[in-house]
């Protein structure tokens, strides 16, 4: 089953957390116009949001570690052009969007670069206002664009400036979710092999059909009298958001240790100590789930690198199951014994 929910984001400085609300809406008296989804992505390192109608561009950014937040808004396929310019001199780079070609040209004269071959990236048209706001303290991600009045008010209340309507659009944004994804591998065990040399860590986790999970991290200990260190916890995952035909983005909503930190358990002649999570997936964290059908060339570079060193006789079966990976490449799990 697939659901569509609107995107609502709130900010502190240049960081954001996506929230969800109702289905995409067109104004009741709005004339029928052809529309296209404008994808919204977020760079956790620079704080910038990026907007594009190009699905290939979206997929490329996700592969590079950007977080796909869903559809920012629904734009017409024709109307007043909206241009995108790029500031290469800002830390991390920065993009700005405007339907004023003179403004775009003045920014280019000041050292910005016209993006997308100087062609419009999307169009303005419709009865729904798209708001813009400016963060004077940000080097990158200094402008935000949203149809959500709640998100806009949150930004202005946090010190952002220039509360104004940038242009008009056909529909609000949404995220396409698929809660039934968890049912496809409910109860199966995901494992993370030791990539860090002798001593671990290793990770084992199961995800239930309702999106709850249980995970154990284990590694050798150098503490006197303690054989191993571990963290075992349970938690809740968000509904998976579709990124492409093979991939879903998921957020770890909560994680709770099953024993207090520094609890020592004795198992025969061996002892182990509970620590805060040091590997695997724990709140707050975003990660991706990929189906077994995902082509290897569509995975991030670190997964492709792992694939490239496999013996030829193992490549046909890799990854061979649903896989989990984090944007930073630190976590990569596959279903055990598959």
């Amino acid at each position: 089953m697939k659901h569509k929910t609107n995107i609502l984001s709130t900010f502190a400085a240049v960081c954001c957390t996506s929230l969800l609300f109702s289905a995409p809406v067109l104004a009741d008296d709005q004339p029928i116009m052809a529309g296209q989804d404008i994808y919204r992505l977020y760079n956790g390192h620079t704080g910038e949001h990026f907007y594009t109608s190009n699905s290939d561009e979206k997929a490329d950014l996700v592969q590079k570690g950007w977080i796909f937040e869903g559809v920012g808004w629904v734009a017409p396929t024709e109307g007043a052009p909206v241009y995108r310019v790029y500031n290469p001199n800002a830390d991390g780079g920065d993009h700005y969007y405007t339907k004023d070609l003179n403004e775009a040209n003045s920014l280019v004269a000041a050292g910005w670069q016209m993006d997308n071959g100087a062609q419009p990236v999307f169009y303005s048209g419709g009865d729904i206002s798209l708001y813009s706001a400016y963060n004077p303290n940000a080097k990158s991600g200094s402008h935000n664009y949203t149809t959500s009045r709640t998100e806009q008010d949150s930004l202005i209340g946090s010190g952002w400036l220039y509360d104004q309507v940038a242009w008009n659009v056909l529909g609000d944004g949404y995220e396409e979710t698929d809660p039934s994804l968890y049912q496809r591998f409910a109860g199966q065990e995901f494992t993370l092999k030791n990539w860090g040399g002798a001593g671990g860590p290793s990770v084992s986790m199961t995800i239930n059909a309702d999106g709850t999970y249980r995970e154990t991290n284990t590694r050798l200990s150098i503490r006197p009298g303690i054989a191993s260190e571990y963290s075992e916890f349970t938690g809740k995952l968000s509904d998976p958001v579709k990124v492409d035909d093979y991939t879903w983005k998921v957020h770890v909503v909560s994680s709770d240790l099953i024993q207090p930190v520094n609890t020592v358990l004795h198992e025969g002649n061996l002892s182990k100590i509970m620590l805060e999570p040091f590997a695997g997936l724990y709140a707050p964290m975003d990660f991706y789930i990929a189906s077994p059908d995902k082509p290897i060339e569509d995975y991030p570079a670190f997964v492709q690198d792992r694939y490239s060193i496999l013996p030829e006789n193992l490549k046909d079966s890799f990854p061979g199951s649903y896989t989990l990976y984090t944007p930073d490449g630190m976590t990569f799990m596959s279903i055990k014994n598959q």
Side-chain angles (χ1 to χ4, degrees):
M1 172 184 287
K2 295 182 179 178
H3 302 273
K4 290 184 178 180
T5 51
N6 283 7
I7 294 177
L8 170 63
S9 298
T10 57
F11 291 76
V14 296
C15 295
C16 82
T17 301
S18 294
L19 304 175
L20 305 178
F21 52 100
S22 59
V25 176
L26 298 181
D28 292 338
D29 58 351
Q30 185 170 301
I32 297 175
M33 300 174 65
Q36 62 178 176
D37 292 342
I38 306 302
Y39 305 114
R40 170 168 161 155
L41 301 104
Y42 177 68
N43 188 325
H45 299 291
T46 66
E48 182 183 12
H49 280 94
F50 185 82
Y51 311 87
T52 179
S53 63
N54 188 318
S55 58
D56 291 336
E57 186 172 37
K58 175 200 73 173
D60 181 62
L61 290 174
V62 168
Q63 200 171 42
K64 292 176 179 176
W66 289 64
I67 302 299
F68 174 61
E69 293 189 328
V71 173
W73 63 87
V74 180
T77 55
E78 58 183 16
V82 177
Y83 301 93
R84 186 172 67 211
V85 291
Y86 174 68
N87 184 355
N89 300 311
D91 285 346
D94 196 22
H95 293 86
Y96 177 67
Y97 304 76
T98 178
K99 66 176 185 178
D100 186 339
L101 184 57
N102 290 329
E103 182 182 30
N105 288 332
S106 68
L107 289 172
V108 170
W112 291 59
Q113 298 172 359
M114 186 68 83
D115 210 357
N116 198 45
Q119 298 301 307
V121 287
F122 26 78
Y123 295 92
S124 171
D127 291 339
I128 295 177
S129 297
L130 184 96
Y131 304 105
S132 64
Y134 170 69
N135 185 347
N137 301 312
K139 299 297 184 182
S140 180
S142 56
H143 290 84
N144 186 70
Y145 304 86
T146 180
T147 60
S148 168
R149 189 64 243 181
T150 303
E151 180 182 353
Q152 181 76 352
D153 289 344
S154 176
L155 293 177
I156 299 304
S158 298
W160 291 57
L161 306 176
Y162 306 151
D163 180 9
Q164 59 189 3
V165 175
W167 59 84
N168 290 344
V169 300
L170 295 180
D172 290 315
Y174 62 88
E175 288 185 335
E176 185 174 353
T177 63
D178 184 6
S180 68
L181 175 68
Y182 298 131
Q183 298 173 15
R184 300 172 207 169
F185 46 76
Q188 298 186 72
E189 185 178 2
F190 287 86
T191 60
L192 169 66
K193 300 302 182 184
N194 173 19
W195 285 13
S202 64
V203 178
S204 175
M205 71 176 297
T206 55
I207 299 176
N208 303 313
D210 62 356
T212 57
Y213 73 98
R214 186 181 185 95
E215 179 175 323
T216 301
N217 312 158
T218 306
R219 66 187 179 194
L220 295 181
S221 175
I222 60 172
R223 301 167 186 245
I226 302 294
S228 62
E229 301 168 343
Y230 81 110
S231 57
E232 188 168 1
F233 49 97
T234 59
K236 176 68 176 177
L237 306 176
S238 65
D239 286 345
V241 176
K242 185 176 181 181
V243 176
D244 55 40
D245 290 341
Y246 308 104
T247 317
W248 297 263
K249 182 194 74 175
V250 173
H251 184 72
V252 182
V253 176
S254 65
S255 59
D256 299 294
L257 291 170
I258 65 171
Q259 297 280 354
V261 173
N262 294 325
T263 297
V264 177
L265 298 180
H266 303 283
E267 299 178 345
N269 296 324
L270 300 177
S271 298
K272 62 181 184 179
I273 187 170
M274 172 75 77
L275 300 178
E276 293 283 357
F278 49 80
L281 305 170
Y282 44 88
M285 180 180 286
D286 290 303
F287 67 98
Y288 295 98
I289 300 176
S291 78
D293 300 322
K294 186 179 179 75
I296 190 64
E297 60 269 19
D298 290 346
Y299 275 95
F302 80 94
V303 179
Q304 295 188 47
D305 289 343
R306 179 72 172 171
Y307 173 81
S308 68
I309 64 175
L310 287 175
E312 289 299 324
N313 64 322
L314 296 180
K315 287 186 175 180
D316 287 344
S317 60
F318 180 88
S321 68
Y322 280 92
T323 58
L324 315 181
Y325 58 89
T326 54
D328 59 9
M330 296 300 294
T331 301
F332 175 61
M333 302 186 203
S334 58
I335 295 176
K336 186 176 181 180
N337 297 327
Q338 291 195 15

